[in-house]
Amino acid sequence: MKRCLNLVFMKKDIISILRITLTSLGISPDQHIEIEIPREQTFGDISTPVAMGMAKGLKKPPKNIAEEIVASIKDKTIFETIAVAGPGFINFTFTKEYLYASLQRICEQGKAVLRENIGNGMRVLVEYVSANPTGPLHIGHARGAAVGNALCNLLEESGFRVEREYYINDAGRQITLLGASVHARYQQLLGITAEFPDEGYRGQYIDDEAAALLRQAQEKYKNLPFHECEHEITEWSYKRMLDLIKEDISTFDIQNFSSWISEKKLYENRAVSQAIQTLKHNGYIYEKDGAVWFRSSEFEDDKDRVVIKSDGEYTYFASDIAYHKAKLDRKFDIIIDIWGADHHGYIPRINSVMKAFGYDISHFRIILVQMVSLLKHGIPFQMSKRAGTFITLSEVVNLVGADNAKFIFLTRKSDSHLEFDIDVISSQSADNPVYYVQYAHARINSIFEHAHKKGIRVHDTSEHDLSLLSAKEELDLIKKLLVYPLILEGAARAFEPHRITFYLQELARMFHSYYHKYKVITDQKELSAARLALCYATKIILIDALSILGVTAPDKM
RNA sequence: GCGCCUGUAGCUCAGUGGAUUAGAGCAUCGGCCUCCGGAGCCGAGGGUCGGAGGUUCGAAUCCUCUCAGGCGCGCCA
């Protein structure tokens, strides 16, 4: 095809054309140009509201501006039509030649052409999961893990430098309770009537730990009151819990964390006392009723919060202040906390902490992951960690599979409630959208095998005549592929990986439908080769998107 | 009582920086296997977008009120 400008890939091409046009109209080339995917096909393949954004500044009706822009576009080689619509949108459709050229680019360059570098090397810290090391991860943590992992992958692929962090609450009462629970069960195993702590952990795993302790330590702690062996048993138990958590994470098959931050270390390094000193220095700390308070009501909170209790002990909040200060000190460009929604009441005080340290809060984002309501046989199943009635992450993986669970978790936006029915999801049926998507990939693979047997080569698109792809379904499929980078970009900017999941289902649907209507491999070699190229590009994007979600793309199913 | 989240088709959920007839999957009903994988495809029915006001040329989308569900409101972690 004739090229009047240096074609790159869809969005960049359009922006560059629009920029040239705006400059020719004497409008600053800095003008932000937004490109969007129209809701309806009749609005074109792609559209821009840029004229509407400029209306105020230029004091002209957006529709007129849009018309001026359209009239001034010199390079129309890639557009079949350009139209002004509605209040001032400019809608474009692409020429077939442009679609073929883009398809070829995907086949030849793959990933390289699908990425928008929006991060530009900025450093992002994402903290997620951070479950207390007092038991195995459960299904709620699994959702946080899936979302956090996918978000990190997405940001990495969008040009950010990402640190994945897990904050370990290894100090304080919960950990002591873990130790006390194990201690009590251990004594009971030795036939001693030991009182079980009121708020202790009652799960089966505690019994297992006690048995393990007995095997390892024999009768070393027999009849010893807890306070005499508290440190040893607690330390031993919590370390094993942490190992268990790490094992769960690896079972779930997500990226490992790049850093594990220990709450206890924050105390040992005096980071907690220093952080409070800093706040005191800034005038946000005062004493009242024998306790030490943080003046969070100066900022976003409705009341001040205690950091040191009247008995001299730090509160949990104190170490969280130190932890967030440590995050700030490490100089990230963006800091993201992913929390279970049950902690949402905590947001104002942490925001207040960030502000008190002088941080621009617009670079800090707390993402809430809503509760998972678990159903078994269609009946709600109440989980309680203390009572020991909960479904663990590893059970979920055994029952439904890691890919399946991750995909389900990512088919909802993170702050909407999620119903997770073990029976429905473990059935290998169309209830599980992940199979639908993976099936498209496996199917393409099997087409390739078939082609291979027939001696048709798949990848060398440059040799083929892609213009043989003239069916509407083929052109639509190419357009769907073209739009993928925009989906990624939108998902990354909004921190919403679930958008990729929806795109994938749509793409898979288009592919399955196409597959049924047209035969890829026929007696016409050239046509077959062109269709194989289309399959190949589809496969590239399926794999790419699935891998960002942390889901595998099996060749066979 | 206060705060946050949610309320869209029978069910589970997208869509919420305002563009015309509101989308998908499941379920229901009806079709498609001499043919590259039927975990698939094609088609049909099904919604006053919880309710009421308001802003607007135009609202599922923005504002106010209201109802329902969930979760939080400790010198617990």
Side-chain angles (χ1 to χ4, degrees), chain A residues 143 368-371 412-418:
Chain A
R143 186 178 185 185
L368 293 179
V369 175
Q370 270 294 347
M371 307 283 97
R412 270 79 168 166
K413 51 180 184 208
S414 71
D415 63 357
S416 80
H417 297 264
L418 167 70

Side-chain angles (χ1 to χ4, degrees), chain A residues 447-459:
Chain A
I447 296 171
F448 287 174
E449 276 179 19
H450 189 81
H452 185 73
K453 280 181 203 146
K454 288 208 155 193
I456 304 172
R457 294 177 66 191
V458 177
H459 310 310

Side-chain angles (χ1 to χ4, degrees), chain A residues 176-245:
Chain A
T176 310
L177 269 173
L178 170 73
S181 305
V182 172
H183 173 264
R185 291 284 184 247
Y186 167 89
Q187 303 299 345
Q188 288 166 1
L189 283 175
L190 288 166
I192 293 155
T193 35
E195 207 177 313
F196 196 78
D198 275 349
E199 292 181 83
Y201 296 99
R202 293 172 189 279
Q204 172 64 40
Y205 68 95
I206 294 291
D207 300 13
D208 299 343
E209 288 307 298
L213 179 62
L214 181 57
R215 277 196 303 277
Q216 194 176 312
Q218 302 291 327
E219 301 194 357
K220 183 178 173 189
Y221 306 111
K222 187 174 180 181
N223 268 324
L224 265 190
F226 182 56
H227 65 86
E228 282 179 36
C229 53
E230 172 178 336
H231 182 75
E232 279 178 53
I233 290 186
T234 303
E235 195 77 351
W236 182 89
S237 305
Y238 123 76
K239 281 201 172 122
R240 285 179 54 103
M241 285 301 132
L242 198 57
D243 286 342
L244 189 62
I245 286 171

Side-chain angles (χ1 to χ4, degrees), chain A residues 114 198 349 486:
Chain A
L114 303 173
D198 275 349
R349 77 188 74 167
L486 294 180

